[in-house]
Amino acid sequence: MKKLLLLFLIPFLSTPLLAEGFNDNYIEFGYSTSNYKFIDNITKVSGSTEFGDGFSIFGSYFYEKGDWKDPGETEIRKADNMSFGIGKSFSIDSNTDITSSLSYVDYEAKQTCTYDSGVDCTSTYRDGPTTKSNYYTASIGIRNLSESGFEMGLKYTIWRAGKLKPNSNEIELVLMKHLTENYAIGGRVLSHKKPVNWNENGIFVRRSF
């Protein structure tokens, strides 16, 4: 995935673009892979709109899918993850912001199990095949936009409440290249901490308005 990300970015590294400040009016499409046993890949659609004084509202939809083999059986997991929230940025200078956000997340996963003999074993799950949860996140970060059109961001997020991530943290590094005033491509690396440590690498395309 890291090699794919580099190949994805190289053609645009020399593209000149003058920075004109941050734009939080956009829609974004992304795809990620992970080294977590239960999540192979993640498809994401997200969007944001500004409403003045550094405030914005945002929402996203994630679709996660994973399959793995335990002794004598194969399991498949699919999950829907929807969130919405509010963000606030604080300008340090014309090209650097401190960012913050609060969001609510609704999560639902369905998991199936099949023995190697072909017999379904989903009924053996103590809590059933479906897991539902909701939780809240809070983040703080920093972002910088260069005159050549590169945007880099670092964000720390905490997750609280719910069955899925009762007490976990996440660090995200994002590198994005603005190709034109309205289009950008980028890559992100996320490191998830507690109760299980795992990493996620992804690419995305953004359309600004």
Side-chain angles (χ1 to χ4, degrees), residues 13-39:
L13 295 182
S14 61
T15 306
L17 182 73
L18 294 177
E20 297 181 356
F22 297 102
N23 183 359
D24 286 325
N25 298 300
Y26 64 83
I27 186 169
E28 185 177 295
F29 301 91
Y31 178 83
S32 302
T33 61
S34 89
N35 63 355
Y36 188 32
K37 175 181 178 179
F38 307 114
I39 302 175

Side-chain angles (χ1 to χ4, degrees), residues 18 71 76 141 144 147 154:
L18 294 177
I76 298 174
N144 177 265
E147 292 185 357
L154 183 66

Side-chain angles (χ1 to χ4, degrees), residues 122-138:
T122 305
S123 60
T124 61
Y125 294 145
R126 184 180 61 182
D127 298 326
T130 302
T131 300
K132 294 183 179 182
S133 184
N134 54 75
Y135 44 98
Y136 300 89
T137 75

Side-chain angles (χ1 to χ4, degrees), residues 17-90:
L17 182 73
L18 294 177
E20 297 181 356
F22 297 102
N23 183 359
D24 286 325
N25 298 300
Y26 64 83
I27 186 169
E28 185 177 295
F29 301 91
Y31 178 83
S32 302
T33 61
S34 89
N35 63 355
Y36 188 32
K37 175 181 178 179
F38 307 114
I39 302 175
D40 294 326
N41 52 70
I42 304 166
T43 304
K44 176 184 177 182
V45 180
S46 61
S48 169
T49 184
E50 300 174 347
F51 59 94
D53 198 28
F55 284 97
S56 62
I57 55 175
F58 58 87
S60 66
Y61 168 76
F62 292 76
Y63 175 73
E64 302 174 352
K65 185 177 180 180
D67 61 79
W68 63 97
K69 188 172 180 60
D70 286 331
E73 61 188 40
T74 299
E75 298 184 72
I76 298 174
R77 176 182 173 277
K78 300 177 182 179
D80 296 296
N81 192 324
M82 298 186 68
S83 70
F84 61 88
I86 184 169
K88 168 64 175 174
S89 61
F90 304 88

Side-chain angles (χ1 to χ4, degrees), residues 167-185:
N167 182 10
S168 61
N169 310 303
E170 172 185 291
I171 299 174
E172 179 183 35
L173 176 65
V174 174
L175 176 63
M176 178 165 54
K177 172 64 175 178
H178 293 270
L179 305 177
T180 68
E181 183 179 352
N182 295 323
Y183 291 94
I185 61 172

